[in-house]
Amino acid sequence: MTVPRPSRLALALDLGGTKVEAALVDPEGVVVPASRFRAATGPDCTPERLRAALQEVVGRALAERGDAQLVGAGVGSAGPIDLRAGTTEPVNMPGVRGFPLVAAVRALLPEVPVAFRLDGTCIALAEHWVGATRGIANSLALVVSTGVGGGIIVEGRLLGGSGGNAGHLGQMRIRGRAEEPGPVTVEELASGPRTVAWAREQGWSGEDGRDLSRSAREGDRIARAGIERSAAALGEGIANAATLLDLEIVAIGGGFVDVADDYIALVQRAAEDAALFDYARRVRVVRSGLGVDGPLIGAAALIHRAELLPSA
Amino acid sequence: MTVPRPSRLALALDLGGTKVEAALVDPEGVVVPASRFRAATGPDCTPERLRAALQEVVGRALAERGDAQLVGAGVGSAGPIDLRAGTTEPVNMPGVRGFPLVAAVRALLPEVPVAFRLDGTCIALAEHWVGATRGIANSLALVVSTGVGGGIIVEGRLLGGSGGNAGHLGQMRIRGRAEEPGPVTVEELASGPRTVAWAREQGWSGEDGRDLSRSAREGDRIARAGIERSAAALGEGIANAATLLDLEIVAIGGGFVDVADDYIALVQRAAEDAALFDYARRVRVVRSGLGVDGPLIGAAALIHRAELLPSA
């Protein structure tokens, strides 16, 4: 199949704890085939290595541009970020805390506008643009994988907050399992690695989320209890957000969502159980409508759908 | 002192669990002297009695209008509400659940626009208009008295949510005191009556918040512990909201704030202790800049400052 190359493309960048990715994204929210490149980051990443990685993935993605016009670069980053300063303070990469991400991208692309946001808020934009929350005014998008991240859309526009960090649902304290002395946040109770660690503490002997999923399918009670524990915490966090924000829908993506066929249903039920008001209990919990390209599509939305940003 | 009567006035209405109040409010956010009237509601309130109370307070307030123009009526209500239906579902008045508040006010004032919002969001508007959060883009306003209510301003505009119920911070579940099996929400741990009840369970023998305040000032340890317990819960709720919304400032009003001279300072410290990210830890906790007229001023803001509403 030959697809006519679109004429206006955004360069999308997604900086995470393990990798930085770049791709070209068209005005319909589609990643241009073969324009997606990644380079490793990781906990030992230094500013020099991050600069080199950025240069590499940006250069390779841009080389796929053909004769299309580059209309801007959208940058999503693991948080927290400092939106005004254009810097990132990623929890999982202490060596690049304060890295001037916007300035580094501007140096590579001096001729186009560069827009910058928290990765969770990019996901929320992508869900709102082409995913599961399309056409809905008040939504939350969550990612459950190594951590729990999120982003919020209110009245059809991004909720950024004063420094761009709104959406960090994973770091909310919840009641959780009051009898467990340690974990207090949604992320500590719901993330993939934390759930695996909890199951191992209970005597389960697998290694990762994939093992956990398989064990649960095979009837292992501890594995299943871990999955339910994760869903309960996520549901409680969602109930809190729905109570505070009066949301209509929550879309959940990320690798851990596939841990059980009924994970989304478990989260929905937990949210209903935890919410005290009917309006919060009515929030719909659905699976993300995005594939693996979600973060890049969301970064591109910062350019192609700039009217969704609060400053627009 | 003779004050020239302003030419454009809003009628403000505030429906709460114990009373309904009305007043005329000028375009500067000042309640017109002698235009403020109240009638009792209470847990046994019926639709008929509420209609009669509304008619009474609206009629008496309007009689103070002189030759000024009435430009609209702003109505705040205890929650939850149904914004689209224009109805109220107040927790503390089961007899008037589903009461068509907007239609009832329209029937009394058929010639002017009627605007309607949750009481907590009215407070947030009032703080943003003439109170402690003036000029600040991202804020939360809280009231701590018989319950814990709130409202949110984001990017200088009201955050209403899908049905107008955003701001219900009191019904968020928090970690709280995990060793206490019962209470799980901010309100259950922080409100005036709940704090008094807790102190009595610990052996303190006073009756109300005033007694609690006096006992604490006189060195009673249980009374002081109750106040600190309330502040800790409120701080934890604030930390959650600041984490999720990236707020700059939180203004706290309501009768229970005066329970101790350092109550606001205790809440600020608790919020800092509970927040995991620096950006959330930086949220400033301040005393409300509103007097007792806050709810009425906020209801009037629905008319005089309609540009702050998200639908504007």
Side-chain angles (χ1 to χ4, degrees), chain A residues 229-241:
Chain A
R229 177 177 173 274
S230 163
L234 203 63
E236 195 178 337
I238 287 169
N240 273 358

Side-chain angles (χ1 to χ4, degrees), chain A residues 11-16 19-23 35-41 53-54 57-58 61 74 76 292-293 295-296 299:
Chain A
L11 181 89
L13 263 171
D14 177 48
L15 173 60
K19 62 183 191 309
V20 57
E21 281 194 292
S35 78
R36 182 174 171 167
F37 295 93
R38 63 164 65 180
T41 54
L54 286 168
V57 295
V58 168
V292 289
D293 291 335
L296 290 168

Side-chain angles (χ1 to χ4, degrees), chain A:
Chain A
M1 193 176 76
T2 334
V3 184
R5 200 176 282 270
S7 59
R8 293 164 52 82
L9 294 174
L11 181 89
L13 263 171
D14 177 48
L15 173 60
T18 60
K19 62 183 191 309
V20 57
E21 281 194 292
L24 297 169
V25 180
D26 79 12
E28 307 304 313
V30 177
V31 172
V32 172
S35 78
R36 182 174 171 167
F37 295 93
R38 63 164 65 180
T41 54
D44 305 324
C45 193
T46 62
E48 294 69 35
R49 276 167 48 197
L50 181 50
R51 266 178 220 283
L54 286 168
Q55 189 166 9
E56 180 197 332
V57 295
V58 168
R60 295 181 74 180
L62 277 183
E64 301 298 317
R65 174 175 41 157
D67 52 4
Q69 185 196 358
L70 186 72
V71 292
V75 183
S77 172
I81 65 169
D82 184 329
L83 186 61
R84 286 191 197 88
T87 57
T88 180
E89 314 272 335
V91 174
N92 299 321
M93 290 187 283
V96 297
R97 279 191 67 125
F99 183 82
L101 188 53
V102 171
V105 176
R106 281 220 176 92
L108 295 171
L109 296 165
E111 281 160 28
V112 296
V114 177
F116 174 51
R117 287 283 170 175
L118 187 69
D119 52 3
T121 64
C122 289
I123 300 272
L125 282 173
E127 294 282 5
H128 187 73
W129 186 16
V130 296
T133 66
R134 234 181 309 185
I136 300 172
N138 300 285
S139 65
L140 172 69
L142 293 176
V143 173
V144 186
S145 58
T146 53
V148 174
I152 302 164
I153 301 283
V154 166
E155 311 275 349
R157 305 226 293 184
L158 179 67
L159 194 164
S162 71
N165 284 302
H168 273 113
L169 181 127
Q171 283 69 37
M172 284 177 74
R173 285 167 185 258
I174 54 172
R175 184 70 172 174
R177 298 194 159 190
E179 69 276 16
E180 281 184 40
V184 297
T185 67
V186 175
E187 181 171 289
E188 286 167 340
L189 287 156
S191 82
R194 295 291 194 134
T195 303
V196 165
W198 178 87
R200 288 174 59 88
E201 283 164 23
Q202 311 305 307
W204 175 74
S205 60
E207 295 290 335
D208 58 19
R210 224 173 275 262
D211 293 346
L212 195 76
S213 178
R214 192 179 318 111
S215 290
R217 280 173 224 270
E218 289 168 2
D220 185 283
R221 282 207 206 149
I222 296 173
R224 178 66 189 179
I227 291 166
E228 291 176 356
R229 177 177 173 274
S230 163
L234 203 63
E236 195 178 337
I238 287 169
N240 273 358
T243 298
L244 191 64
L245 302 176
D246 196 354
L247 300 167
E248 291 159 82
I249 190 166
V250 179
I252 311 180
F256 199 69
V257 172
D258 296 320
V259 74
D261 292 338
D262 63 347
Y263 186 77
I264 296 289
L266 290 171
V267 173
Q268 172 86 62
R269 203 179 320 144
E272 288 167 7
D273 289 349
L276 299 178
F277 284 137
D278 286 344
Y279 77 83
R281 212 172 287 130
R282 281 194 295 264
V283 72
R284 277 191 299 140
V285 180
V286 299
R287 206 186 189 302
S288 164
L290 305 170
V292 289
D293 291 335
L296 290 168
I297 293 169
L302 301 174
I303 299 298
H304 285 311
R305 299 296 310 276
E307 76 278 10
L308 300 177
L309 304 182
S311 52

